[in-house]
Amino acid sequence: MDGAAARIDELRVLIDHHDQRYHVDDAPEIPDADYDALLAELRALEAEHPDLVTPGSPTQRAGAPARSTFAEVAHRVPMRSLDNAFDVDELRAWTERVLRRLGDDAPPVAWACELKFDGLAVSLRYEDGVLVQAATRGDGRVGEDVTANVRTIDDVPDRLADGAPPVVEVRGEVYMGLTAFAELNAAQEQAGEKTYVNPRNTAAGSLRQKDAAVTATRDLSFWAYQLGEVVDGPEQDSHLGTLAWLDALGLPVDAHRARFDDVDDVVAHVATVEAARHDLDYEIDGVVVKVDDLALQDELGFTARAPRWAIAYKLPPEERTTRLLDIEVSIGPGGQATPFARLEPVFVGGSTVAAATLHNADQVAAKDVRPGDVVVVRKAGDVIPEVLRPVLAERSADSVPWTFPTDCPACGGPLVRPEGEAATFCANHACPRQVRGRIEHFASRGAMDLEGFGEQRVDLFVSEGLLVDVAGVFALDYDRIAAWDGFGETSVENLRRAVDAARDRPLGRLLFGLRIPHVGTTVADVLASAFGHLDALVVADVEAIEAVEGLGPIIATSVHGWLREERNADLLDRLRTAGVCLEAAEAAGGDEVEPVLAGMSVVVTGTLSSRSRDEAKAAIVARGGKSPGSVSAKTTALVAGEGGGSKLAKAEDLGVPVLDEAAFERLLATGELPA
Ligand code: IVH
């Protein structure tokens, strides 16, 4: 008994800790399956010792307490969690419990199956069809007011279709689609910023931004799956009927829903979903099975934590073991030294993984993974592979902990870890890996768009000493290049032309190209149009930069500090001398365009041959249109380049016109959609 009491205490502390990491910090330490196992163990012990159950036990509540930075919202109808079934036997056992509870006289039960979306539960409150409040789940009774943030989500209508009742609360999941997540990380990488670990935590972190303008830059989506409070709504008798009604009101409801009379068909369905989970553009972690008949749901009611009429069938986590061959360190363009694992290739989460980031020195130490270990690998978010932990039973006796190298693998210079920071850096600004990274970024499409400056060329120019910084691009020794093998007259001439064209790029592109910390394309454009000319920005103080709409103290301090570093001031001087444009697009007298797309919402997906996606979006915005990251019923048209998978499918589902590049160019020129 004492042993059980002690273990119960221990489990409660552990679960509280992991709840905090998951729900509040958005940084879970253990896989969901491990957490579920802790909770299952606690539940089993409490079932054996009912006298030890306390109201504060994690088994008696839905999630973590709400965070205090947002105003509190009391849920009029509690937001409950779901009980889980971890295998088919548990799923069948639940259906049997339901049938037993309903008794022999009950009508036959139909089972409604939906996907279990892996995001963050929110409740949207509409009054007279207008969105008035959005709240997170919090502890199930009180959540956080995230209205301003949710309003930035394209999928969430501000207004419902005609016929909405005086009050309707819609519960659903805010999530980040896999394409959106990959695009966000690609942009982070390009800006030399840290990448995000998985879509779920990124969605949660994005939604809980204090500044809704930041949320607006994240391409979040929403699926509706349940009702909260409803006043004077139409009579509904089934769950699937309710979902169809939500759909008709203009809310996004996922199409992967089905109704089965036979439990065997439910079991077959979950297997089908499991096999097809990688065909979706969003993460799911299971299938939710609900009793479809709402009268039967009422009869079944709730336990303290969850409804008796629903269960979450959890898909097995995608984890595999493999051999960690070595731990190496890569050097990013900002000098960041990132440890990563070289792995014996293993198929996990829908693709083969041969390398996985280990993030930083602390992560390697905390996980204590060592070269030679057998390790558990998970494809977190099915996007970024992650090494979870070593399999200690298989560790060889002579294994030693890995230590972070003291010298940069690229230049041999010292690696330093600034006090209080998790990251380690190569301190040598002239490290060829850093120089290459900076020039590659400068030459990239969203920046100076230098044709002919691909990775290999840049590598060659840097290793031959022809380029030591980005200003060198405008002072290339073409005679030397012309003497090299593989550089004919035409290719040298093309290089010269590309460099000349880059000289005229507007200030926003230049600022982005310089890799100033915290300055991505959007911030660069905001800075350029606010100050008009580089000279105005150079003399601005932190307050003046911070006063610009959309910029905060972190960005202002970073930009101000960067411009004041002697090395950077010198670089700007040389760019100026080289005749590089220092004016913003508007001031430089860029082509005036007619606002032919005013009121239109045009989404761009896939790769276009004539413009980068950012350029395409900019062209839309310049003509008065909007270019959100996802397709919804409000989308005017979808421009589909090569490889535009899920958005294309969604547009086709919603009957949104799909344009090829030629039709897009016509739209930009005339504002007209093809007949
Ligand atoms: S229904 C009263 N349906 O899973 C029942 N929940 O682990 C309310 N979730 O809190 C939940 N997809 O955040 C429901 N199709 C779905 C869902 C779903 C994801 C989440 C939701 C819930 C959690 C429980």
Side-chain angles (χ1 to χ4, degrees):
M1 176 76 185
D2 275 358
R7 180 64 183 157
I8 284 176
D9 278 348
E10 184 176 46
L11 285 167
R12 286 179 185 158
V13 171
L14 273 173
I15 291 166
D16 281 346
H17 168 76
H18 291 302
D19 271 347
Q20 163 85 17
R21 298 292 290 158
Y22 186 91
H23 291 284
V24 179
D25 304 339
D26 298 324
E29 276 167 19
I30 55 171
D32 289 357
D34 293 9
Y35 174 87
D36 292 335
L38 294 176
L39 202 58
E41 188 188 344
L42 178 60
R43 261 207 212 105
L45 280 173
E46 287 183 348
E48 274 174 47
H49 305 281
D51 50 314
L52 295 180
V53 178
T54 56
S57 172
T59 57
Q60 308 297 308
R61 60 168 193 255
R67 206 154 62 167
S68 58
T69 37
F70 292 92
E72 290 191 348
V73 174
H75 298 300
R76 280 165 240 232
V77 174
M79 287 183 79
R80 306 207 204 222
S81 192
L82 292 171
D83 282 333
N84 296 316
F86 293 103
D87 55 37
V88 165
D89 291 342
E90 289 185 13
L91 177 60
R92 285 185 187 279
W94 169 76
T95 61
E96 282 158 19
R97 278 201 303 280
V98 167
L99 295 175
R100 216 175 311 122
R101 210 175 170 98
L102 290 173
D104 293 339
D105 301 338
V109 171
W111 312 97
C113 296
E114 294 156 65
L115 301 181
K116 184 170 183 319
F117 312 106
D118 199 7
L120 186 78
V122 297
S123 182
L124 311 177
R125 186 176 175 87
Y126 288 89
E127 289 177 2
D128 297 323
V130 176
L131 178 66
V132 294
Q133 189 172 61
T136 63
R137 183 171 73 196
D139 66 0
R141 286 172 303 108
V142 178
E144 304 153 317
D145 186 335
V146 287
T147 313
N149 308 56
V150 166
R151 282 193 201 283
T152 70
I153 301 175
D154 214 45
D155 270 1
V156 173
D158 297 331
R159 191 173 275 282
L160 298 177
D162 290 348
V167 173
V168 55
E169 278 179 7
V170 181
R171 268 89 196 258
E173 205 84 351
V174 167
Y175 66 95
M176 184 175 279
L178 296 178
T179 309
F181 179 70
E183 283 173 3
L184 174 66
N185 266 348
Q188 287 290 109
E189 224 156 66
Q190 228 195 358
E193 304 285 346
K194 75 167 176 57
T195 52
Y196 296 94
V197 176
N198 67 49
R200 192 233 156 242
N201 296 328
T202 312
S206 302
L207 190 72
R208 285 179 169 148
Q209 290 290 327
K210 267 180 150 174
D211 180 358
V214 178
T215 312
T217 66
R218 308 286 169 79
D219 187 1
L220 296 177
S221 304
F222 177 77
W223 289 127
Y225 49 64
Q226 198 72 38
L227 287 176
E229 189 186 26
V230 183
V231 176
D232 288 342
E235 274 298 308
Q236 298 288 350
D237 51 20
S238 73
H239 175 66
L240 289 173
T242 308
L243 293 186
W245 178 58
L246 292 178
D247 187 35
L249 286 176
L251 287 150
V253 182
D254 184 45
H256 302 89
R257 48 192 205 262
R259 183 180 190 271
F260 301 105
D261 294 322
D262 196 322
V263 174
D264 287 341
D265 293 331
V266 175
V267 170
H269 176 74
V270 300
T272 312
V273 170
E274 188 170 335
R277 70 188 289 191
H278 298 299
D279 301 341
L280 300 167
D281 192 42
Y282 42 86
E283 287 206 295
I284 58 168
D285 60 345
V287 176
V288 181
V289 185
K290 296 173 184 168
V291 171
D292 193 38
D293 187 312
L294 298 183
L296 296 183
Q297 284 193 4
D298 272 349
E299 206 174 318
L300 288 161
F302 295 85
T303 65
R305 192 182 120 90
R308 287 199 190 86
W309 42 262
I311 193 100
Y313 172 84
K314 292 282 210 115
L315 296 178
E318 297 257 287
E319 290 178 11
R320 298 279 182 280
T321 54
T322 188
R323 179 81 55 189
L324 194 164
L325 302 173
D326 205 357
I327 298 178
E328 296 176 22
V329 167
S330 69
I331 304 295
Q336 187 150 345
T338 307
F340 68 96
R342 282 229 175 275
L343 302 167
E344 214 158 78
V346 59
F347 192 78
V348 54
S351 64
T352 301
V353 170
T357 178
L358 291 165
H359 303 290
N360 56 44
D362 290 346
Q363 289 265 331
V364 185
K367 289 177 177 166
D368 186 24
V369 283
R370 309 174 182 187
D373 274 347
V374 171
V375 291
V376 180
V377 175
R378 172 171 60 175
K379 225 165 147 213
D382 292 344
V383 181
I384 298 178
E386 190 184 8
V387 176
L388 290 177
R389 58 183 172 271
V391 179
L392 292 175
E394 299 204 35
R395 176 172 281 173
S396 77
D398 55 2
S399 140
V400 286
W402 183 77
T403 49
F404 212 96
T406 50
D407 299 331
C408 169
C411 71
L415 291 179
V416 290
R417 181 173 172 182
E419 186 112 6
E421 281 201 36
T424 304
F425 294 87
C426 164
N428 173 15
H429 190 74
C431 168
R433 196 42 253 161
Q434 290 190 48
V435 172
R436 247 165 45 196
R438 286 196 295 268
I439 296 170
E440 277 166 18
H441 174 77
F442 188 71
S444 69
R445 275 203 170 175
M448 300 301 263
D449 194 8
L450 278 150
E451 201 129 326
F453 279 72
E455 260 178 49
Q456 283 179 354
R457 284 262 177 96
V458 172
D459 203 10
L460 177 69
F461 294 165
V462 172
S463 58
E464 289 296 323
L466 208 65
L467 276 182
V468 294
D469 62 22
V470 300
V473 165
F474 300 100
L476 275 181
D477 184 345
Y478 294 107
D479 292 341
R480 232 183 110 192
I481 297 173
W484 288 341
D485 280 352
F487 283 88
E489 214 173 287
T490 328
S491 59
V492 173
E493 192 43 41
N494 285 345
L495 268 186
R496 196 193 296 268
R497 227 180 268 143
V499 169
D500 283 343
R503 248 189 211 100
D504 298 332
R505 303 268 183 263
L507 178 61
R509 302 283 216 95
L510 175 67
L511 289 174
F512 173 61
L514 292 171
R515 280 196 90 264
I516 304 171
H518 302 292
V519 179
T521 42
T522 312
V523 170
D525 286 341
V526 167
L527 282 167
S529 61
F531 290 92
H533 195 283
L534 181 71
D535 292 345
L537 178 61
V538 166
V539 296
D541 55 15
V542 177
E543 290 71 30
I545 303 176
E546 204 183 324
V548 176
E549 168 107 23
L551 304 186
I554 294 178
I555 294 172
T557 312
S558 168
V559 172
H560 183 261
W562 192 93
L563 291 169
R564 251 140 218 86
E565 263 180 59
E566 198 179 323
R567 174 170 67 211
N568 299 331
D570 176 57
L571 181 76
L572 294 179
D573 277 346
R574 284 188 298 123
L575 287 169
R576 185 191 317 270
T577 315
V580 173
C581 167
L582 305 178
E583 273 181 289
E586 308 89 77
D591 298 345
E592 281 291 312
V593 289
E594 294 283 321
V596 290
L597 303 186
M600 293 192 194
S601 168
V602 182
V603 178
V604 184
T605 186
T607 313
L608 304 177
S609 62
S610 60
R611 307 168 188 259
S612 73
R613 203 158 39 227
D614 281 342
E615 285 167 342
K617 287 181 175 186
I620 294 162
V621 173
R623 287 161 180 78
K626 286 208 279 186
S627 187
S630 59
V631 173
S632 74
K634 288 183 286 184
T635 307
T636 315
L638 174 73
V639 177
E642 221 164 286
S646 65
K647 285 184 192 162
L648 199 57
K650 190 162 177 196
E652 277 159 7
D653 270 0
L654 292 170
V656 169
V658 177
L659 310 186
D660 62 12
E661 263 191 273
F664 177 46
E665 292 300 332
R666 274 197 303 280
L667 177 73
L668 289 177
T670 63
E672 278 163 29
L673 290 168

